[in-house]
Amino acid sequence: DGTGFLLEGDVWMGRIRQQGAPEQNAEGCLLTIMRTGEGVISGYSLQTSGISPVLDHMAAVEHNDHAVIYLNPEGGIVYRNRRAREKSLEKGNAVTGKPVWDGLDWRNLREERESLIRHFRLAVQSGETQRLIMKQGRRFSSPDRSIIQVIITPIRDDMDNIHQVLMEESYVPVDVQLEIRERTTESAFKSFLDQNPLPAWMVDVQGKLIAASWIYADLFGLNAADMGKDLMQLIPTPFVLQYTKHHEKILKNGEHLHELENWMGPDGRVRTYIVHKFPIRSGRTITMIGSIAFEVTEKMRIGEEYRDRYEMFSLANEASQDLIWDWDINTDKVRTQGDQALNWSEDDHLGYSSEEFFSRMHPDDKYRIESLLKNGLADKGTDRIQGLYRLRVKGGADLPILDRARILRDEH
Protein backbone atom coordinates (compact mmCIF):
# COMPACT_ATOMS: atom_id res chain seq x y z
CA ASP A 1 0.00 0.00 0.00
CA GLY A 2 2.99 2.26 -0.30
CA THR A 3 3.47 2.76 3.43
CA GLY A 4 7.21 2.68 4.01
CA PHE A 5 10.40 4.45 4.86
CA LEU A 6 13.60 4.87 2.84
CA LEU A 7 16.39 3.92 5.22
CA GLU A 8 19.61 4.35 3.27
CA GLY A 9 20.28 4.40 -0.45
CA ASP A 10 18.84 1.13 -1.75
CA VAL A 11 17.45 -0.03 1.60
CA TRP A 12 13.70 0.37 2.15
CA MET A 13 11.49 -0.73 5.01
CA GLY A 14 7.71 -0.72 4.70
CA ARG A 15 4.42 -2.49 5.27
CA ILE A 16 2.77 -5.05 3.04
CA ARG A 17 -0.63 -6.72 3.47
CA GLN A 18 -1.87 -9.87 1.89
CA GLN A 19 -5.24 -9.74 0.16
CA GLY A 20 -7.92 -11.65 2.03
CA ALA A 21 -5.85 -11.79 5.23
CA PRO A 22 -7.75 -12.38 8.46
CA GLU A 23 -8.88 -9.34 10.39
CA GLN A 24 -6.27 -9.81 13.09
CA ASN A 25 -3.49 -9.60 10.48
CA ALA A 26 -4.72 -6.35 8.96
CA GLU A 27 -1.51 -4.61 9.96
CA GLY A 28 0.38 -7.00 7.66
CA CYS A 29 4.09 -7.68 7.55
CA LEU A 30 7.20 -5.54 7.95
CA LEU A 31 9.25 -5.87 4.75
CA THR A 32 12.87 -4.89 4.25
CA ILE A 33 14.24 -4.70 0.71
CA MET A 34 17.88 -4.01 -0.14
CA ARG A 35 20.19 -4.12 -3.14
CA THR A 36 22.99 -6.57 -2.29
CA GLY A 37 24.82 -6.64 -5.62
CA GLU A 38 24.68 -5.64 -9.26
CA GLY A 39 21.04 -6.08 -10.23
CA VAL A 40 20.32 -8.34 -7.24
CA ILE A 41 17.52 -7.48 -4.84
CA SER A 42 16.88 -9.30 -1.57
CA GLY A 43 14.21 -8.87 1.02
CA TYR A 44 12.67 -10.41 4.09
CA SER A 45 9.45 -9.88 5.96
CA LEU A 46 8.60 -10.15 9.62
CA GLN A 47 5.07 -11.11 10.67
CA THR A 48 4.22 -8.71 13.45
CA SER A 49 1.59 -6.38 14.76
CA GLY A 50 1.84 -2.62 15.20
CA ILE A 51 3.77 -1.85 12.00
CA SER A 52 3.09 1.88 12.14
CA PRO A 53 4.91 2.37 15.49
CA VAL A 54 7.88 0.45 14.06
CA LEU A 55 8.06 2.78 11.09
CA ASP A 56 7.70 5.79 13.36
CA HIS A 57 10.61 4.41 15.39
CA MET A 58 12.75 4.06 12.26
CA ALA A 59 12.03 7.68 11.34
CA ALA A 60 13.15 8.75 14.81
CA VAL A 61 16.31 6.63 14.52
CA GLU A 62 17.20 8.23 11.17
CA HIS A 63 17.37 11.68 12.78
CA ASN A 64 18.93 10.59 16.09
CA ASP A 65 21.96 12.59 17.24
CA HIS A 66 23.77 9.33 18.01
CA ALA A 67 25.26 7.08 15.35
CA VAL A 68 22.91 4.09 15.02
CA ILE A 69 23.63 0.98 12.94
CA TYR A 70 21.31 -2.00 12.45
CA LEU A 71 23.13 -5.29 11.88
CA ASN A 72 22.06 -8.81 11.05
CA PRO A 73 23.01 -11.62 13.50
CA GLU A 74 26.27 -12.17 11.58
CA GLY A 75 27.30 -8.54 11.99
CA GLY A 76 26.42 -7.45 8.45
CA ILE A 77 25.29 -3.83 8.07
CA VAL A 78 21.57 -3.49 7.32
CA TYR A 79 21.11 0.20 7.94
CA ARG A 80 23.05 3.26 9.12
CA ASN A 81 21.26 6.40 10.22
CA ARG A 82 22.21 9.87 9.06
CA ARG A 83 24.65 10.49 11.92
CA ALA A 84 26.47 7.17 11.32
CA ARG A 85 26.79 7.93 7.60
CA GLU A 86 28.20 11.40 8.30
CA LYS A 87 30.78 10.15 10.80
CA SER A 88 31.97 7.21 8.74
CA LEU A 89 34.96 7.36 6.43
CA GLU A 90 33.16 4.91 4.13
CA LYS A 91 30.34 6.50 2.12
CA GLY A 92 27.56 5.20 -0.09
CA ASN A 93 25.97 1.77 -0.24
CA ALA A 94 29.20 -0.23 -0.56
CA VAL A 95 29.14 -1.19 3.13
CA THR A 96 25.60 -2.63 3.09
CA GLY A 97 25.73 -6.31 3.96
CA LYS A 98 29.39 -6.21 5.04
CA PRO A 99 30.40 -7.08 8.62
CA VAL A 100 30.66 -3.80 10.47
CA TRP A 101 34.17 -4.64 11.77
CA ASP A 102 35.49 -5.08 8.21
CA GLY A 103 34.58 -1.53 7.29
CA LEU A 104 37.20 1.16 6.81
CA ASP A 105 36.43 2.67 10.22
CA TRP A 106 37.62 -0.44 12.08
CA ARG A 107 39.86 -2.28 9.64
CA ASN A 108 43.26 -1.03 10.81
CA LEU A 109 42.46 -0.86 14.51
CA ARG A 110 43.36 -4.35 15.64
CA GLU A 111 42.57 -4.10 19.35
CA GLU A 112 39.34 -2.12 18.86
CA ARG A 113 38.22 -4.45 16.06
CA GLU A 114 38.80 -7.56 18.16
CA SER A 115 36.99 -5.97 21.09
CA LEU A 116 33.99 -5.10 18.88
CA ILE A 117 33.80 -8.66 17.48
CA ARG A 118 34.04 -10.13 20.96
CA HIS A 119 31.31 -7.90 22.39
CA PHE A 120 29.05 -8.42 19.35
CA ARG A 121 29.28 -12.21 19.55
CA LEU A 122 28.70 -12.13 23.28
CA ALA A 123 25.56 -10.02 22.75
CA VAL A 124 24.21 -12.49 20.16
CA GLN A 125 25.06 -15.55 22.25
CA SER A 126 23.79 -14.22 25.57
CA GLY A 127 20.97 -12.07 24.25
CA GLU A 128 22.13 -9.31 26.59
CA THR A 129 23.25 -5.75 25.86
CA GLN A 130 27.02 -5.23 25.76
CA ARG A 131 28.98 -1.99 26.18
CA LEU A 132 32.54 -1.02 25.28
CA ILE A 133 34.53 2.19 25.61
CA MET A 134 37.07 3.42 23.05
CA LYS A 135 38.98 6.51 21.91
CA GLN A 136 37.27 8.44 19.12
CA GLY A 137 40.42 9.80 17.48
CA ARG A 138 42.13 6.41 17.06
CA ARG A 139 39.17 5.15 15.06
CA PHE A 140 38.42 8.11 12.83
CA SER A 141 42.01 9.32 12.21
CA SER A 142 41.11 12.55 13.98
CA PRO A 143 42.96 14.66 16.56
CA ASP A 144 39.78 14.40 18.62
CA ARG A 145 40.58 12.27 21.67
CA SER A 146 37.03 12.11 23.02
CA ILE A 147 35.82 8.83 24.42
CA ILE A 148 32.84 7.15 22.78
CA GLN A 149 30.61 4.43 24.15
CA VAL A 150 29.39 1.64 21.89
CA ILE A 151 26.19 -0.13 23.00
CA ILE A 152 25.30 -3.41 21.27
CA THR A 153 21.68 -4.54 21.82
CA PRO A 154 20.19 -7.73 20.35
CA ILE A 155 16.59 -7.40 18.99
CA ARG A 156 14.24 -10.38 19.17
CA ASP A 157 11.28 -11.21 16.94
CA ASP A 158 7.90 -12.63 17.96
CA MET A 159 9.44 -16.10 18.16
CA ASP A 160 12.10 -14.83 20.61
CA ASN A 161 14.84 -15.26 18.00
CA ILE A 162 17.48 -12.59 17.54
CA HIS A 163 16.91 -11.25 14.04
CA GLN A 164 18.76 -7.92 14.28
CA VAL A 165 21.37 -6.22 16.43
CA LEU A 166 21.28 -2.51 17.21
CA MET A 167 24.66 -0.80 17.60
CA GLU A 168 24.63 2.74 18.98
CA GLU A 169 27.63 5.02 19.37
CA SER A 170 27.59 8.11 21.55
CA TYR A 171 30.10 10.55 23.01
CA VAL A 172 30.84 10.14 26.69
CA PRO A 173 30.46 13.55 28.43
CA VAL A 174 33.66 15.13 29.71
CA ASP A 175 32.70 14.81 33.37
CA VAL A 176 31.92 11.13 32.85
CA GLN A 177 35.23 10.67 31.00
CA LEU A 178 37.08 12.09 34.00
CA GLU A 179 35.11 9.83 36.30
CA ILE A 180 35.96 6.80 34.14
CA ARG A 181 39.65 7.69 34.11
CA GLU A 182 39.72 8.23 37.88
CA ARG A 183 37.80 5.02 38.50
CA THR A 184 40.12 3.10 36.17
CA THR A 185 43.23 4.54 37.83
CA GLU A 186 41.85 3.90 41.29
CA SER A 187 40.78 0.36 40.37
CA ALA A 188 44.20 -0.44 38.86
CA PHE A 189 46.03 0.92 41.90
CA LYS A 190 43.77 -0.99 44.29
CA SER A 191 44.51 -4.17 42.36
CA PHE A 192 48.21 -3.36 42.64
CA LEU A 193 47.83 -2.85 46.39
CA ASP A 194 46.08 -6.19 46.81
CA GLN A 195 49.12 -8.00 45.39
CA ASN A 196 51.78 -5.78 46.97
CA PRO A 197 53.96 -7.35 49.70
CA LEU A 198 55.12 -3.87 50.82
CA PRO A 199 53.34 -1.19 52.84
CA ALA A 200 51.48 0.81 50.19
CA TRP A 201 48.46 3.11 50.35
CA MET A 202 46.54 5.80 48.50
CA VAL A 203 44.85 8.96 49.79
CA ASP A 204 42.86 11.74 48.15
CA VAL A 205 44.05 15.35 48.18
CA GLN A 206 42.28 15.92 51.51
CA GLY A 207 44.30 13.08 53.02
CA LYS A 208 41.45 10.58 53.29
CA LEU A 209 42.49 6.95 53.00
CA ILE A 210 41.18 5.38 49.77
CA ALA A 211 43.01 2.06 49.69
CA ALA A 212 45.84 0.25 51.48
CA SER A 213 47.82 -2.95 51.07
CA TRP A 214 47.20 -5.69 53.60
CA ILE A 215 50.63 -5.24 55.17
CA TYR A 216 50.07 -1.49 55.65
CA ALA A 217 46.69 -2.20 57.25
CA ASP A 218 48.34 -4.80 59.49
CA LEU A 219 51.09 -2.39 60.58
CA PHE A 220 48.54 0.14 61.85
CA GLY A 221 45.75 -2.24 62.81
CA LEU A 222 43.41 -0.84 60.14
CA ASN A 223 40.24 -2.44 58.82
CA ALA A 224 37.60 -1.76 56.16
CA ALA A 225 35.83 0.74 58.45
CA ASP A 226 38.92 2.98 58.35
CA MET A 227 38.69 3.52 54.60
CA GLY A 228 37.53 7.07 53.90
CA LYS A 229 38.89 8.41 57.18
CA ASP A 230 41.48 11.17 57.39
CA LEU A 231 44.85 9.44 57.64
CA MET A 232 45.98 12.01 60.21
CA GLN A 233 43.33 10.59 62.54
CA LEU A 234 44.82 7.12 62.16
CA ILE A 235 48.48 8.08 62.67
CA PRO A 236 49.83 8.46 66.24
CA THR A 237 50.09 12.16 67.13
CA PRO A 238 53.93 12.37 67.34
CA PHE A 239 54.19 11.36 63.66
CA VAL A 240 51.43 13.54 62.17
CA LEU A 241 53.74 16.49 61.48
CA GLN A 242 56.11 14.57 59.17
CA TYR A 243 53.16 13.12 57.23
CA THR A 244 51.45 16.52 56.84
CA LYS A 245 54.69 18.16 55.65
CA HIS A 246 55.29 15.52 52.96
CA HIS A 247 51.64 15.51 51.84
CA GLU A 248 51.57 19.29 51.38
CA LYS A 249 54.94 19.25 49.60
CA ILE A 250 53.61 16.90 46.89
CA LEU A 251 50.46 19.00 46.42
CA LYS A 252 52.59 22.14 46.10
CA ASN A 253 55.37 20.83 43.81
CA GLY A 254 53.48 18.03 42.02
CA GLU A 255 56.62 15.89 42.01
CA HIS A 256 57.71 12.50 43.36
CA LEU A 257 59.11 12.51 46.87
CA HIS A 258 61.56 10.23 48.74
CA GLU A 259 61.73 10.77 52.50
CA LEU A 260 62.47 8.93 55.73
CA GLU A 261 59.44 8.51 57.99
CA ASN A 262 59.11 6.98 61.46
CA TRP A 263 55.95 5.00 62.20
CA MET A 264 54.64 3.42 65.36
CA GLY A 265 52.45 0.34 65.04
CA PRO A 266 49.89 -1.17 67.44
CA ASP A 267 52.74 -2.97 69.25
CA GLY A 268 54.24 0.41 70.22
CA ARG A 269 57.44 -0.25 68.28
CA VAL A 270 58.82 2.62 66.18
CA ARG A 271 60.04 1.64 62.73
CA THR A 272 61.88 3.67 60.11
CA TYR A 273 60.86 3.58 56.43
CA ILE A 274 62.00 5.11 53.18
CA VAL A 275 58.72 6.31 51.68
CA HIS A 276 58.25 6.95 47.96
CA LYS A 277 55.25 9.24 47.40
CA PHE A 278 53.89 10.22 43.98
CA PRO A 279 50.98 12.28 42.63
CA ILE A 280 48.16 10.59 40.68
CA ARG A 281 46.56 12.95 38.17
CA SER A 282 43.32 13.24 36.27
CA GLY A 283 44.41 15.35 33.32
CA ARG A 284 46.64 17.99 34.91
CA THR A 285 44.92 17.96 38.28
CA ILE A 286 46.27 15.95 41.19
CA THR A 287 43.39 13.88 42.55
CA MET A 288 45.22 11.28 44.65
CA ILE A 289 48.61 10.57 46.21
CA GLY A 290 50.10 7.08 46.18
CA SER A 291 52.81 5.85 48.54
CA ILE A 292 55.08 2.80 48.79
CA ALA A 293 57.39 2.21 51.76
CA PHE A 294 60.51 0.11 52.42
CA GLU A 295 61.50 -0.61 56.01
CA VAL A 296 65.08 0.34 56.83
CA THR A 297 64.93 0.09 60.64
CA GLU A 298 67.62 -2.60 60.87
CA LYS A 299 69.80 -0.98 58.23
CA MET A 300 69.62 2.35 60.05
CA ARG A 301 70.59 0.61 63.34
CA ILE A 302 73.52 -1.16 61.70
CA GLY A 303 74.54 2.08 59.99
CA GLU A 304 74.54 3.93 63.31
CA GLU A 305 76.57 1.19 64.97
CA TYR A 306 78.99 1.23 62.05
CA ARG A 307 79.39 5.01 62.30
CA ASP A 308 79.99 4.77 66.04
CA ARG A 309 82.59 2.02 65.61
CA TYR A 310 84.18 3.86 62.70
CA GLU A 311 84.57 6.99 64.81
CA MET A 312 86.14 4.97 67.64
CA PHE A 313 88.36 3.17 65.13
CA SER A 314 89.45 6.49 63.56
CA LEU A 315 90.27 7.97 66.96
CA ALA A 316 92.30 4.88 67.93
CA ASN A 317 94.05 4.91 64.57
CA GLU A 318 94.85 8.59 64.91
CA ALA A 319 96.28 8.03 68.40
CA SER A 320 98.45 5.08 67.34
CA GLN A 321 99.43 6.61 63.96
CA ASP A 322 99.38 3.11 62.45
CA LEU A 323 98.51 2.23 58.85
CA ILE A 324 95.40 0.06 58.75
CA TRP A 325 94.23 -1.74 55.63
CA ASP A 326 91.27 -3.92 54.69
CA TRP A 327 91.24 -6.35 51.77
CA ASP A 328 87.83 -7.60 50.54
CA ILE A 329 88.65 -10.92 48.85
CA ASN A 330 85.33 -11.09 46.94
CA THR A 331 85.67 -7.70 45.29
CA ASP A 332 89.49 -7.61 45.38
CA LYS A 333 89.31 -4.10 46.78
CA VAL A 334 91.92 -2.82 49.27
CA ARG A 335 91.13 0.21 51.43
CA THR A 336 93.57 1.93 53.78
CA GLN A 337 93.41 4.27 56.77
CA GLY A 338 96.20 6.38 58.18
CA ASP A 339 98.25 6.29 54.97
CA GLN A 340 99.29 9.94 55.16
CA ALA A 341 102.75 8.83 56.24
CA LEU A 342 103.07 6.95 52.95
CA ASN A 343 102.38 10.12 50.94
CA TRP A 344 100.07 8.18 48.62
CA SER A 345 97.22 9.76 46.68
CA GLU A 346 94.43 11.42 48.69
CA ASP A 347 91.95 9.15 46.83
CA ASP A 348 93.61 5.90 47.95
CA HIS A 349 91.12 5.52 50.79
CA LEU A 350 88.48 4.89 48.10
CA GLY A 351 90.15 1.58 47.35
CA TYR A 352 92.34 -0.12 44.77
CA SER A 353 93.08 -3.65 43.61
CA SER A 354 95.36 -6.08 45.48
CA GLU A 355 97.69 -6.10 42.45
CA GLU A 356 98.18 -2.37 42.79
CA PHE A 357 98.73 -2.72 46.55
CA PHE A 358 101.39 -5.41 46.06
CA SER A 359 103.03 -3.35 43.30
CA ARG A 360 103.95 -0.79 45.97
CA MET A 361 105.99 -3.38 47.90
CA HIS A 362 109.73 -3.68 47.49
CA PRO A 363 110.47 -6.28 44.75
CA ASP A 364 112.56 -8.37 47.18
CA ASP A 365 109.60 -8.63 49.62
CA LYS A 366 106.63 -8.92 47.23
CA TYR A 367 106.84 -12.66 46.41
CA ARG A 368 107.39 -13.63 50.06
CA ILE A 369 104.38 -11.64 51.32
CA GLU A 370 102.16 -12.85 48.50
CA SER A 371 103.05 -16.48 49.39
CA LEU A 372 102.47 -15.76 53.08
CA LEU A 373 98.94 -14.43 52.36
CA LYS A 374 98.13 -17.20 49.89
CA ASN A 375 99.10 -19.93 52.36
CA GLY A 376 97.21 -18.22 55.16
CA LEU A 377 94.02 -18.00 53.08
CA ALA A 378 94.32 -21.66 52.04
CA ASP A 379 94.80 -22.91 55.63
CA LYS A 380 91.37 -22.60 57.28
CA GLY A 381 92.95 -23.18 60.66
CA THR A 382 94.89 -19.93 60.32
CA ASP A 383 93.28 -16.63 61.22
CA ARG A 384 96.33 -14.45 61.87
CA ILE A 385 99.36 -13.56 59.72
CA GLN A 386 102.44 -11.48 60.54
CA GLY A 387 105.15 -10.26 58.18
CA LEU A 388 107.83 -7.65 57.68
CA TYR A 389 108.21 -5.86 54.34
CA ARG A 390 109.02 -2.51 52.75
CA LEU A 391 106.48 -0.20 51.09
CA ARG A 392 107.50 2.36 48.54
CA VAL A 393 106.20 5.85 49.39
CA LYS A 394 105.72 8.80 47.09
CA GLY A 395 109.12 10.07 46.05
CA GLY A 396 110.68 6.59 45.85
CA ALA A 397 111.77 5.96 49.47
CA ASP A 398 111.07 2.54 51.13
CA LEU A 399 109.28 2.49 54.48
CA PRO A 400 109.72 -0.64 56.68
CA ILE A 401 106.35 -2.11 57.74
CA LEU A 402 105.58 -4.68 60.44
CA ASP A 403 102.18 -6.04 59.37
CA ARG A 404 99.81 -7.98 61.62
CA ALA A 405 96.74 -9.23 59.78
CA ARG A 406 93.65 -11.14 60.78
CA ILE A 407 91.61 -13.25 58.34
CA LEU A 408 87.82 -13.05 58.66
CA ARG A 409 85.95 -16.04 57.20
CA ASP A 410 82.23 -16.71 56.59
CA GLU A 411 80.52 -20.01 57.41
CA HIS A 412 81.78 -21.55 54.15
Side-chain angles (χ1 to χ4, degrees):
D1 63 359
T3 302
F5 186 78
L6 182 64
L7 299 181
E8 177 182 3
D10 295 326
V11 181
W12 177 91
M13 180 177 285
R15 178 177 62 189
I16 59 171
R17 287 180 290 184
Q18 184 178 2
Q19 288 184 341
E23 185 69 23
Q24 62 267 27
N25 291 333
E27 280 286 348
C29 300
L30 185 65
L31 176 67
T32 300
I33 302 174
M34 69 182 73
R35 187 190 304 275
T36 59
E38 189 66 30
V40 179
I41 302 294
S42 66
Y44 63 90
S45 61
L46 173 65
Q47 189 75 27
T48 184
S49 59
I51 299 300
S52 296
V54 173
L55 296 177
D56 291 341
H57 168 74
M58 295 305 300
V61 168
E62 173 65 14
H63 300 288
N64 197 313
D65 289 336
H66 296 168
V68 178
I69 305 175
Y70 276 88
L71 309 170
N72 61 34
E74 289 73 42
I77 297 174
V78 175
Y79 157 71
R80 299 180 299 170
N81 75 345
R82 172 187 54 82
R83 181 60 175 157
R85 297 193 299 272
E86 291 174 353
K87 288 176 59 178
S88 177
L89 298 174
E90 210 153 5
K91 307 299 182 182
N93 303 323
V95 298
T96 303
K98 288 183 178 180
V100 65
W101 46 79
D102 286 339
L104 180 62
D105 295 345
W106 300 88
R107 192 178 302 149
N108 297 321
L109 302 176
R110 177 174 165 271
E111 291 183 8
E112 288 85 347
R113 182 178 182 274
E114 290 178 356
S115 180
L116 176 63
I117 293 174
R118 184 171 62 254
H119 283 81
F120 178 86
R121 290 176 177 170
L122 185 58
V124 172
Q125 292 170 4
S126 66
E128 297 178 354
T129 297
Q130 302 295 320
R131 290 177 170 82
L132 64 149
I133 301 293
M134 60 175 292
K135 290 285 186 67
Q136 169 82 351
R138 272 186 51 78
R139 177 176 167 196
F140 294 106
S141 303
S142 160
D144 181 9
R145 291 302 175 192
S146 300
I147 294 177
I148 63 170
Q149 177 178 238
V150 180
I151 303 175
I152 303 172
T153 305
I155 302 173
R156 299 181 182 276
D157 59 18
D158 293 345
M159 304 298 293
D160 203 34
N161 296 317
I162 296 175
H163 72 99
Q164 278 189 341
V165 179
L166 173 65
M167 190 170 88
E168 181 179 358
E169 301 176 2
S170 60
Y171 285 99
V172 178
V174 175
D175 57 338
V176 178
Q177 291 184 34
L178 294 176
E179 182 181 344
I180 290 173
R181 291 191 185 107
E182 289 178 9
R183 191 164 60 244
T184 302
T185 302
E186 183 177 332
S187 175
F189 196 77
K190 284 182 177 179
S191 177
F192 167 74
L193 291 179
D194 289 340
Q195 307 297 325
N196 200 324
L198 298 172
W201 66 101
M202 182 168 61
V203 299
D204 63 16
V205 291
Q206 284 78 38
K208 294 181 180 179
L209 186 63
I210 296 175
S213 65
W214 64 268
I215 193 168
Y216 182 82
D218 188 59
L219 280 173
F220 291 102
L222 305 178
N223 53 50
D226 294 315
M227 295 300 127
K229 291 183 180 179
D230 192 327
L231 196 58
M232 286 187 289
Q233 298 175 0
L234 305 174
I235 296 176
T237 303
F239 307 103
V240 168
L241 182 61
Q242 63 175 4
Y243 164 76
T244 304
K245 182 177 70 174
H246 297 160
H247 184 87
E248 292 177 349
K249 189 173 182 180
I250 288 186
L251 293 179
K252 180 179 179 180
N253 300 332
E255 298 176 352
H256 292 222
L257 184 69
H258 296 271
E259 293 286 353
L260 282 175
E261 290 187 2
N262 293 317
W263 303 346
M264 184 172 68
D267 58 358
R269 180 186 172 192
V270 177
R271 300 175 175 88
T272 303
Y273 291 82
I274 292 179
V275 183
H276 172 61
K277 296 177 180 283
F278 51 93
I280 301 174
R281 290 180 169 83
S282 177
R284 295 185 178 181
T285 305
I286 297 176
T287 57
M288 292 171 281
I289 295 176
S291 302
I292 301 176
F294 304 86
E295 185 175 1
V296 292
T297 307
E298 189 64 17
K299 290 184 178 180
M300 293 289 289
R301 183 188 65 78
I302 294 173
E304 290 175 0
E305 289 183 0
Y306 176 81
R307 282 193 295 272
D308 291 342
R309 292 181 180 180
Y310 181 79
E311 289 177 1
M312 293 176 61
F313 175 78
S314 297
L315 290 172
N317 180 45
E318 185 177 345
S320 66
Q321 295 186 350
D322 285 340
L323 167 66
I324 299 177
W325 58 273
D326 173 78
W327 178 19
D328 188 328
I329 304 296
N330 294 323
T331 62
D332 191 33
K333 186 74 72 174
V334 179
R335 292 180 175 85
T336 59
Q337 278 284 335
D339 52 5
Q340 293 86 352
L342 302 178
N343 294 320
W344 287 352
S345 168
E346 293 180 357
D347 295 332
D348 277 351
H349 68 281
L350 299 177
Y352 37 82
S353 68
S354 59
E355 182 180 356
E356 185 176 355
F357 181 74
F358 288 122
S359 70
R360 295 177 178 180
M361 288 185 183
H362 191 283
D364 295 341
D365 301 332
K366 178 181 176 183
Y367 178 76
R368 176 172 50 82
I369 296 300
E370 283 182 337
S371 298
L372 180 68
L373 284 171
K374 183 177 179 181
N375 293 334
L377 293 174
D379 183 1
K380 292 187 177 181
T382 301
D383 63 352
R384 295 183 184 276
I385 300 174
Q386 179 172 308
L388 182 65
Y389 55 88
R390 289 161 289 179
L391 275 180
R392 184 156 296 168
V393 299
K394 194 173 182 179
D398 292 326
L399 189 69
I401 300 291
L402 175 61
D403 200 331
R404 299 183 180 93
R406 182 180 180 186
I407 302 173
L408 302 180
R409 305 178 190 273
D410 59 23
E411 63 272 19
H412 303 294

